[in-house]
Amino acid sequence: MAAEEGGAGRLSASFYSILFAENPTVRELFPAAMDVQRDRLVAAIGYVVDHLDTVDDVLPFVTQLGRDHRKYGIDESHYRAVGSALLTALGRFECTEPWTDDTEAAWSDAIALLAGTMIDAADAEAGPATTGATVIERREVLADLVVVRLRTDAAFDYTPGQYVSVQIPSRPRMWRYLSMATPPNDENIVEFHVRRVSGGWVSPAIVGRTEVGERWQLSSPIGDLGVPAAGGDDMLMVGAGTGVAPLRAQILDMAQRRDNPRVHLFVTGVHPSDLYCYDELAQIELANPWLTVTPVSERDDDPWWVTEPMLSPQGMRRRITGQAGKIIADYRSWTGHDIQVSGSPGMVNSTLFRLRAAGIDNRIRHDPLL
């Protein structure tokens, strides 16, 4: 897929065409606009393939997906239909490697393992598939970025650093993944940082239309970003834009503990205004000697519509200008660090490339579906 221009898109389009043609009733489970769904499929397949050599690392992710997919009301027959359509689409995909009987058998075994893992995870869950939540606060940070706080109807258990799929009333069936920006708490409050995505369906509705009292649905949490045990490796965290949200949740949780590893958090973005969370995190840094926060932006200027600076004078003095991945890779040696990267796919990929080019072979964690 990587070698063929547009190959990923062709594979996902072929898969869904086969799935819907052979199983017409399945179409109603999906939103009318399929662009995000197609991207998510390819991201999930790529993540699994990249981790085939360490299957024990990928199966927990697949287990989480199985619990999350309960929200669709699907059963084993749906998994069989998806597996069959995917196998057919892969077999039809033209690439430099021939599709042999051995290739088909290997993919068939892999799909059966993944589907079986998801089915078993869903069957093992006794609780409800989704949790209701009520919007209690909407705060505009930038013209295209809002902080939304909700109170869940029941205790909502997750690990700081995870994300969840949400459904808003104005976009039924259009589930979107958002990272929790706060750790679990006794008040059952969750916070999301949402930026308007150009051409998107859900994020513009959240940024522009969300009102206090609105009812959302939250599915099961996903992701393996998380606070390490006390005495663990030192950490490098890189958060771009709203990608800082799951890292913020971990930092807030760690600030409540006595023993933490040393953490160096880079808050990054294109413009200084993208570093909207820096000042708050800098205040946490002052009270926690294990934490270092460094702001980085590619440019020194903000867009014309940003009327007030997002950084304090201290933050402006500390900010580094340049390409974040290169700056971080050249900053110091990160060997032996637990590394987490969170942000847009382009930012994550460029940062991973820079770190690996610098000889960093640590396990680098990032969320494949965001």
Side-chain angles (χ1 to χ4, degrees):
M1 286 190 292
E4 297 280 343
E5 183 176 355
R10 287 193 289 109
L11 174 65
S12 60
S14 174
F15 161 73
Y16 283 112
S17 295
I18 295 167
L19 177 65
F20 297 153
E22 295 181 351
N23 308 272
T25 59
V26 171
R27 181 64 181 89
E28 65 187 27
L29 297 175
F30 294 86
M34 290 290 294
D35 50 344
V36 173
Q37 196 71 32
R38 293 190 181 102
D39 293 344
R40 200 172 288 158
L41 169 75
V42 173
I45 292 174
Y47 183 81
V48 170
V49 171
D50 285 345
H51 291 77
L52 283 178
D53 290 338
T54 53
V55 69
D56 288 342
D57 289 340
V58 78
L59 287 183
F61 167 72
V62 177
T63 297
Q64 293 172 353
L65 277 183
R67 291 195 289 261
D68 171 66
H69 275 54
R70 293 184 302 144
K71 68 194 178 201
Y72 297 118
I74 57 179
D75 56 32
E76 191 168 346
S77 66
H78 295 103
Y79 282 100
R80 288 196 299 269
V82 166
S84 174
L86 181 56
L87 197 62
T88 301
L90 288 164
R92 293 178 182 177
F93 187 79
E94 296 180 3
C95 61
T96 55
E97 295 296 326
W99 183 262
T100 65
D101 290 344
D102 286 344
T103 306
E104 181 169 351
W107 270 106
S108 181
D109 288 346
I111 291 170
L113 173 63
L114 299 176
T117 301
M118 293 179 71
I119 291 169
D120 290 345
D123 290 344
E125 287 293 309
T130 62
T131 299
T134 303
V135 176
I136 60 174
E137 180 184 352
R138 174 196 177 275
R139 177 167 57 89
E140 184 177 293
V141 179
L142 294 167
D144 63 345
L145 193 158
V146 297
V147 170
V148 181
R149 307 187 86 199
L150 304 97
R151 179 174 281 111
T152 58
D153 296 345
F156 190 62
D157 188 30
Y158 59 92
T159 299
Q162 288 190 304
Y163 55 104
V164 66
S165 55
V166 307
Q167 181 179 245
I168 62 175
S170 63
R171 294 292 185 267
R173 293 190 296 161
M174 289 187 176
W175 293 88
R176 289 297 182 270
Y177 288 114
L178 298 175
S179 294
M180 279 74 73
T182 46
N185 53 80
D186 294 338
E187 297 179 345
N188 296 337
I189 292 176
V190 294
E191 179 176 305
F192 299 111
H193 298 180
V194 185
R195 194 158 206 166
R196 182 189 299 115
V197 176
S198 178
W201 288 81
V202 176
S203 62
I206 294 176
V207 171
R209 302 183 190 177
T210 297
E211 298 179 351
V212 172
E214 193 172 273
R215 293 284 295 169
W216 290 19
Q217 292 294 319
L218 314 182
S219 187
S220 298
I222 301 175
D224 73 343
L225 300 186
V227 177
D233 293 336
D234 290 347
M235 300 186 68
L236 165 63
M237 292 181 169
V238 184
T242 55
V244 76
L247 309 182
R248 175 183 184 267
Q250 295 179 68
I251 295 297
L252 290 174
D253 189 60
M254 296 170 80
Q256 301 175 38
R257 306 184 337 186
R258 289 187 176 181
D259 297 319
N260 289 301
R262 289 191 296 272
V263 177
H264 198 137
L265 168 62
F266 286 86
V267 180
T268 75
V270 176
H271 302 281
S273 58
D274 295 325
L275 316 182
Y276 68 97
C277 245
Y278 168 75
D279 279 352
E280 177 197 18
L281 292 165
Q283 291 299 314
I284 299 175
E285 175 187 5
L286 291 176
N288 294 276
W290 48 267
L291 177 63
T292 301
V293 185
T294 302
V296 179
S297 66
E298 293 184 15
R299 300 178 56 168
D300 286 323
D301 61 322
D302 277 325
W304 63 268
W305 44 264
V306 176
T307 57
E308 296 183 6
M310 299 301 295
L311 295 186
S312 65
Q314 178 190 14
M316 295 297 289
R317 287 195 300 271
R318 294 186 59 182
R319 181 175 54 84
I320 303 172
T321 303
Q323 203 281 325
K326 184 178 187 306
I327 288 172
I328 295 165
D330 295 342
Y331 196 87
R332 53 159 295 182
S333 172
W334 302 108
T335 300
H337 282 66
D338 178 349
I339 301 177
Q340 299 184 27
V341 182
S342 179
S344 68
M347 171 271 172
V348 169
N349 289 334
S350 64
T351 302
L352 295 181
F353 173 80
R354 289 289 188 176
L355 289 173
R356 286 167 178 160
I360 303 300
D361 59 358
N362 316 28
R363 176 172 177 256
I364 303 175
R365 292 186 284 160
H366 62 94
D367 290 320
L369 299 182
L370 291 177

